[in-house]
Amino acid sequence: MLVGRAPGVAVLLAPAGAVAGVDVRGAPVGTRELDLLDPSTLVRRVHAVVLGGPAAVDGVVRWLAGRGHGFPVGPRPFEVVPIVPAAEALGLPAADGHAVCESAVPLDVPALALVGGTAVGLVVVDADLEPAECRRVAMSAHDAFARAGVTVPATVFAVATGAPTGTPLNDLCTTATTALERAVATS
């Protein structure tokens, strides 16, 4: 997994696909494809998660599609639709998602957070999880915003690396909450 950052935007790239979940509390802003993260949907993997607005998402989708990463919708390699859920932290600057992807580096932290008029967070857990388990991790990690004193509406994503570590779900939830709390403190 790769991460790209710019002021007001963070992008987690998982071109091969990764299982993800989301928890939303309050009125989310600038969201996209959150319903696809429901465990009952056909889509099982995301190709990126964007903490940022529509302009950033459009660039990320272009970057992924241009490289053939996405949900296949035809027989040719580039007939794909990248699955890119997103939520925006209201009031932060916009950035070009394509440029953010071009500058992406290997993931170096387990959590990312942006806080403005709304808040968004992302945790990455080293585990092989199902969508419902990812949602549970996102729900637990959401507590990090309350611990950090953030009281605005917030959206939290959880993404699993797919590595079969055998770590119990409760431990993953605890670790994710602590990691997001640290990310909020440094955002």
Side-chain angles (χ1 to χ4, degrees), residues 108-133:
D108 57 350
V109 294
L112 303 166
L114 298 173
V115 179
T118 56
V120 290
L122 166 76
V123 293
V124 177
V125 293
D126 199 19
D128 185 17
L129 301 179
E130 294 295 321
E133 293 170 314

Side-chain angles (χ1 to χ4, degrees), residues 5-176:
R5 296 180 185 99
V9 175
V11 176
L12 177 75
L13 293 169
V19 175
V22 66
D23 183 51
V24 178
R25 297 186 194 168
V29 174
T31 62
R32 175 186 167 123
E33 299 180 354
L34 298 187
D35 289 343
L36 293 179
L37 297 180
D38 185 286
S40 67
T41 63
L42 172 65
V43 174
R44 306 305 283 172
R45 296 184 172 278
V46 301
H47 303 98
V49 175
V50 176
L51 307 183
V57 176
D58 290 345
V60 173
V61 169
R62 275 194 338 271
W63 189 88
L64 288 163
R67 288 157 179 78
H69 302 297
F71 187 80
V73 293
R76 295 187 194 104
F78 288 96
E79 293 179 336
V80 296
V81 175
I83 306 301
V84 183
E88 181 176 11
L90 190 62
L92 298 183
D96 174 18
H98 196 279
V100 172
C101 291
E102 288 292 326
S103 67
V105 297
L107 181 67
D108 57 350
V109 294
L112 303 166
L114 298 173
V115 179
T118 56
V120 290
L122 166 76
V123 293
V124 177
V125 293
D126 199 19
D128 185 17
L129 301 179
E130 294 295 321
E133 293 170 314
C134 272
R135 185 188 333 192
R136 174 55 56 198
V137 171
M139 291 169 71
S140 294
H142 211 132
D143 291 346
F145 283 121
R147 288 182 185 177
V150 176
T151 58
V152 296
T155 302
V156 176
F157 297 96
V159 177
T161 64
T165 60
T167 305
L169 185 59
N170 284 342
D171 292 347
L172 293 171
C173 290
T174 301
T175 301

